[in-house]
């Protein structure tokens, strides 16, 4: 495995761990406060983590072929995640 592929795996894993930590924190905050915006926050981070993990898996399964499609889907799902995060911040 090439160094760049190892770095890609490491950064994807780090992003997933950090994102899932944020999901856990938002779910715990929802359980304590029952504020609905915490659900939106957790959905947003879940989508971002899902996009990162799915992109990494797809990239390795397809030997990094067709990166335009892969990145387009990644950015679409990541953008949806950020929309949920922004909505959680502005909705009360």
């Amino acid at each position: 495995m090439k160094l760049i592929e190892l770095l890609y795996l490491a950064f994807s894993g780090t992003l997933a761990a950090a994102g899932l930590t944020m999901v856990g924190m938002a779910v715990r905050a929802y359980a304590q406060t029952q504020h609905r915006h915490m659900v939106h926050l957790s959905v947003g981070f879940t989508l971002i983590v899902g996009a990162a993990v799915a992109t990494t898996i797809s990239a390795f399964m397809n030997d990094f072929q067709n990166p335009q499609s892969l990145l387009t889907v990644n950015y679409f799902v990541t953008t949806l995640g950020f929309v949920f995060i922004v909505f959680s911040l502005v909705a009360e």
Side-chain angles (χ1 to χ4, degrees), residues 1-9 12 55-71:
M1 189 174 287
K2 298 176 185 176
L3 176 62
I4 192 71
E5 292 173 353
L6 290 172
L7 288 171
Y8 182 60
L9 278 174
S12 294
T55 300
T56 301
I57 291 170
S58 295
F60 279 99
M61 285 179 62
N62 295 313
D63 199 28
F64 293 89
Q65 299 299 312
N66 201 4
Q68 293 89 351
S69 296
L70 188 63
L71 292 174

Side-chain angles (χ1 to χ4, degrees), residues 3-38:
L3 176 62
I4 192 71
E5 292 173 353
L6 290 172
L7 288 171
Y8 182 60
L9 278 174
F11 292 141
S12 294
T14 304
L15 187 146
L20 290 176
T21 299
M22 296 299 293
V23 170
M25 293 170 73
V27 169
R28 184 173 38 160
Y30 175 74
Q32 293 173 351
T33 64
Q34 300 297 310
H35 290 293
R36 195 182 285 174
H37 61 275
M38 288 295 143

Side-chain angles (χ1 to χ4, degrees), residues 8 15 40-41 43-56 69-87:
Y8 182 60
L15 187 146
H40 297 124
L41 187 65
V43 169
F45 281 114
T46 300
L47 286 170
I48 292 168
V49 169
V53 170
T55 300
T56 301
S69 296
L70 188 63
L71 292 174
T72 300
V73 172
N74 173 282
Y75 285 140
F76 174 72
V77 176
T78 300
T79 300
L80 283 178
F82 280 115
V83 167
F84 272 93
I85 290 170
V86 169
F87 184 70

